[in-house]
Amino acid sequence: MEKTFLMIKPDGVQRQLIGEIVNRFERKGLQLVGAKLMSIPTNLAEQHYGEHKGKPFYDELVSFITSGPVFAMVWQGENVVELTRKMMGKTNPKDAEPGTIRGDYSTQVSQNIIHGSDSLESAEREIALFFNQNELIKSENLINS
Ligand code: RTP
Ligand code: MG
């Protein structure tokens, strides 16, 4: 079953939106298979956002994502990468439709509440960066698998 890496960014944690956001994915019928509240060390932030190194917003991005606790999660479900990107909305909250997470809760591209893997390859890479295999629930141990 397909998995993705989702992370509520420091702005979302600080604004106490963890429950709201988890609720949306649960109600959709996706399965939470791993989660932790954590602070991101700079070297992990740099690895996670390596594709953006050299871009004008990179330094701000790394300093923002390390500025406070994040809620890192792994979710599982059919087509979960594409589906959760759709539920998050466009990167810039100005373009994100109402009804999406970014569309409903944010106004600035630099503080857009949530991260989600953008492909199967990024999902695998990001899950491995943030979680040990033994921190994830195996499919056979999920009640409605
Ligand atoms: P994310 O990786 O955080 O899920 O966001 P994304 O795929 O929708 O967007 P991406 O292109 O990967 O950009 C990563 C994060 O960098 C910030 N950003 N700022 N100032 C800007 O023009 C700009 N562009 C991107 C955003 O916070 C974005 O989520
Ligand atoms: Mg991205």
Side-chain angles (χ1 to χ4, degrees):
M1 182 64 83
E2 191 170 311
K3 290 189 183 70
T4 195
F5 174 69
L6 300 176
M7 174 169 71
I8 304 176
K9 297 182 181 184
D11 53 336
V13 172
Q14 204 258 329
R15 288 173 53 200
Q16 303 191 290
L17 292 172
I18 294 176
E20 287 281 334
I21 292 169
V22 168
N23 192 25
R24 288 181 179 227
F25 297 127
E26 284 189 317
R27 281 184 356 205
K28 181 69 183 170
L30 301 173
Q31 286 279 349
L32 183 62
V33 297
K36 56 185 165 189
L37 188 66
M38 62 183 283
S39 298
I40 303 189
T42 302
N43 67 336
L44 177 57
E46 287 172 347
Q47 277 181 282
H48 174 64
Y49 280 129
E51 64 173 309
H52 298 303
K53 197 170 167 64
K55 294 184 186 170
F57 58 84
Y58 175 77
D59 289 346
E60 186 191 5
L61 184 57
V62 169
S63 94
F64 172 62
I65 209 72
T66 56
S67 66
V70 300
F71 193 63
M73 304 169 279
V74 177
W75 287 84
Q76 179 171 299
E78 214 170 299
N79 217 11
V80 72
V81 170
E82 193 185 332
L83 190 63
T84 50
R85 290 285 295 192
K86 212 174 269 176
M87 291 173 71
M88 285 162 49
K90 296 262 171 62
T91 305
N92 191 328
K94 285 190 200 127
D95 305 320
E97 298 290 336
T100 65
I101 294 166
R102 287 165 169 169
D104 286 351
Y105 301 125
S106 60
T107 58
Q108 291 176 60
V109 69
S110 56
Q111 300 197 3
N112 59 0
I113 302 284
I114 185 165
H115 161 82
S117 308
D118 60 9
S119 66
L120 271 179
E121 298 70 49
S122 343
E124 274 183 24
R125 188 183 77 86
E126 293 167 2
I127 290 169
L129 265 181
F130 282 85
F131 286 89
N132 291 318
Q133 217 35 55
N134 64 8
E135 294 176 299
L136 303 177
I137 304 299
K138 292 191 176 55
S139 285
E140 61 263 33
N141 296 328
L142 290 169
I143 289 167
N144 49 351
S145 62

